[in-house]
Structures are given as structure tokens and as C-alpha cells.
């Protein structure tokens, strides 16, 4: 069974540009999460989808970040316009059922804003 | 407020020795999980311990949970070079699906 896959693995963009990160969860997983780790800091929750609905987006830092999950399958996280402090590793995770808390993580996308 | 603070932040030991990492948290939890991240790779789930459990084993891993002290420890026995990685504890809460991570412990196993 394929795990959680994220694309791209690395992205280097200039300040002010737009970047879109993609996450393909494990097939059949209704829950999809985005997390990020800014250099030297802890991994922080961004948001949680249940199928195509945003269940919890309390961790989204500001309105430059837009997450979508059309059709309840893959998800995208767009940063527009990117700022230097957005640099970090963005992780996606998925899990099978609401009451089951084990989440499977992808490899992450390393975003560098220069 | 930050949950899941690990200590030490970095640990370096010789291969074959045991490694112990600790995690403290601040609020009531439903469960506590430990993850490993090898350099440049994703997070790998190691073990989950529920709030009503005190100890759990998985292979060379032993996790304890003390809810009265709001702390957990991860013990890796007979360490191997392949155990070199960052280890994170993450806390889960009743009724919420998000995990709250600490900053992690960087473990280095020297051959």
C-alpha cells in the first residue's frame, strides 16, 4: 500500500512568489492534516480536513496560506505571496478514522524562501 | 502554550548503550505518541500510549507515561547506528485530532 506522498520534496522560491504544495494521503483515509516545522522549532499543526471539509484550521498562520481538498482526495497548500519566515518543512499526514489517532506522515516538502 | 517538551535536546551515545529521552507536557491528554525522523525523511510513528496506560513495549522500545507528573520517557535499548535520528513526542487530546509536538531530541549513535 502506498504511503502518504508529498510533492515537491524541495522548493526554493523568491520572496513574493507563489508556491503550491501537494499531498496525496493513503487511499481511504478521510482525515488529512498539514503540519510544518520552521527551522529549530517544534512541528506545528496547521489544519485538519475530514474528507473535503476543513475540520480545524486553527493553526493556519495567516491568510497567505490556503489549503484545499477538492473531492476529498489529495490536498494542496498554497502560499501566496511567500515570505522569508515561511521557510521550513511542511508535513502532511493522514489517518483512517476519527477515533483512531495514529497518523501516517509523508516525507515532507522542504520550502526555502529567499 | 507549548506541549511535549523533550529533553535532552541532543544526546550522543556509543552503539550498544541504552538511550533515554524524556517528554513533558502541560495539559490533560488522551494519548501520547513518539515519532522518529531520519535526516531528510518523513516522520515515522513508533508507539502510542494511552492516558490509562503506564508502560508499553515495542521491540527495543519502551515507553512510560506518568500522567500525575505529565511526563513520558522513551527508552531505546541496545542502540544501533541506524537509530540515529530526531525523536519527537506528540500529545493527542480527547475530541481533537491534531497532535501537539515538542521540539525533539536529536539522538546520535556513535559506532
Amino acid at each position: 500500500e502506498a504511503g502518504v506522498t508529498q510533492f515537491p520534496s524541495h522548493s526554493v522560491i523568491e520572496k513574493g512568489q507563489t508556491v503550491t504544495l501537494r499531498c496525496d494521503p493513503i487511499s481511504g483515509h478521510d482525515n488529512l492534516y498539514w503540519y510544518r516545522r520552521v527551522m529549530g522549532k517544534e512541528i506545528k499543526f496547521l489544519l485538519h480536513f475530514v474528507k473535503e471539509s476543513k475540520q480545524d484550521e486553527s493553526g493556519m498562520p495567516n491568510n497567505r496560506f490556503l489549503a484545499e481538498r477538492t473531492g476529498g482526495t489529495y490536498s494542496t497548500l498554497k502560499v501566496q505571496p511567500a515570505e522569508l519566515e515561511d521557510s521550513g518543512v511542511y508535513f502532511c499526514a493522514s489517518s483512517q478514522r476519527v477515533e483512531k489517532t495514529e497518523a501516517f506522515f509523508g516525507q515532507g516538502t522542504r520550502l526555502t524562501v529567499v | 502554550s507549548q506541549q511535549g517538551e523533550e529533553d535532552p535536546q541532543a544526546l550522543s551515545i556509543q552503539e550498544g548503550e541504552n538511550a533515554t529521552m524524556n517528554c513533558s507536557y502541560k495539559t490533560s491528554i488522551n494519548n501520547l505518541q513518539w515519532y522518529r525522523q531520519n535526516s531528510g525523511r518523513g516522520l515515522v510513528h513508533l508507539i502510542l500510549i494511552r492516558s490509562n496506560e503506564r508502560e508499553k513495549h515495542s521491540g527495543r522500545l519502551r515507553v512510560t507515561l506518568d500522567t500525575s507528573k505529565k511526563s513520558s520517557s522513551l527508552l531505546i535499548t541496545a542502540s544501533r547506528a541506524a537509530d540515529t535520528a530526531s525523536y519527537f513526542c506528540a500529545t493527542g487530546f480527547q475530541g481533537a485530532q491534531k497532535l501537539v509536538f515538542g521540539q525533539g531530541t536529536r539522538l546520535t549513535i556513535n559506532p
Side-chain angles (χ1 to χ4, degrees):
Chain A
E1 179 183 295
V4 177
T5 56
Q6 293 186 243
F7 181 83
S9 55
H10 293 87
S11 180
V12 181
I13 62 170
E14 293 183 352
K15 176 181 172 182
Q17 289 185 322
T18 298
V19 63
T20 300
L21 314 181
R22 173 170 169 147
C23 168
D24 286 75
I26 293 173
S27 179
H29 281 192
D30 288 341
N31 293 301
L32 187 149
Y33 314 83
W34 284 98
Y35 292 83
R36 77 170 178 178
R37 187 182 189 197
V38 173
M39 181 69 73
K41 298 195 175 180
E42 69 271 22
I43 300 166
K44 281 196 170 178
F45 167 82
L46 295 179
L47 88 161
H48 168 213
F49 284 98
V50 176
K51 296 186 180 179
E52 67 274 10
S53 300
K54 290 176 185 174
Q55 187 76 10
D56 180 354
E57 51 184 329
S58 60
M60 294 288 265
N62 52 60
N63 59 10
R64 295 186 293 103
F65 289 75
L66 175 64
E68 294 180 324
R69 192 184 182 194
T70 307
T73 54
Y74 71 90
S75 174
T76 58
L77 179 64
K78 180 191 287 188
V79 185
Q80 179 183 29
E83 298 290 345
L84 298 179
E85 63 265 24
D86 300 332
S87 296
V89 180
Y90 289 76
F91 292 102
C92 175
S94 71
S95 66
Q96 193 167 23
R97 291 192 299 266
V98 172
E99 65 269 23
K100 193 170 182 177
T101 53
E102 180 180 350
F104 296 87
F105 281 76
Q107 302 280 59
T109 293
R110 181 174 295 278
L111 174 65
T112 303
V113 183
V114 297
Chain B
S1 61
Q2 182 170 309
Q3 285 269 84
E5 299 183 21
E6 291 97 334
D7 92 274
Q9 291 188 351
L11 179 63
S12 180
I13 61 173
Q14 295 300 119
E15 193 167 17
E17 293 181 338
N18 296 340
T20 300
M21 290 161 272
N22 302 297
C23 168
S24 61
Y25 57 91
K26 296 178 180 174
T27 60
S28 296
I29 61 172
N30 187 34
N31 62 79
L32 187 144
Q33 304 180 43
W34 285 90
Y35 286 83
R36 183 186 72 222
Q37 184 189 21
N38 292 87
S39 180
R41 295 176 180 264
L43 291 163
V44 174
H45 185 267
L46 296 176
I47 198 165
L48 180 154
I49 186 166
R50 301 196 186 282
S51 59
N52 61 352
E53 297 176 311
R54 292 295 168 259
E55 188 171 311
K56 208 161 183 181
H57 296 255
S58 176
R60 294 183 297 112
L61 306 180
R62 174 179 164 242
V63 170
T64 62
L65 179 65
D66 186 336
T67 52
S68 66
K69 296 181 179 178
K70 293 187 168 58
S71 67
S72 173
S73 67
L74 170 67
L75 168 67
I76 303 174
T77 60
S79 63
R80 304 168 182 169
D83 295 329
T84 294
S86 290
Y87 291 81
F88 297 90
C89 70
T91 48
F93 305 92
Q94 186 72 32
Q97 292 303 299
K98 66 182 180 184
L99 294 173
V100 180
F101 285 84
Q103 292 195 7
T105 292
R106 176 69 190 166
L107 175 65
T108 302
I109 308 299
N110 302 303

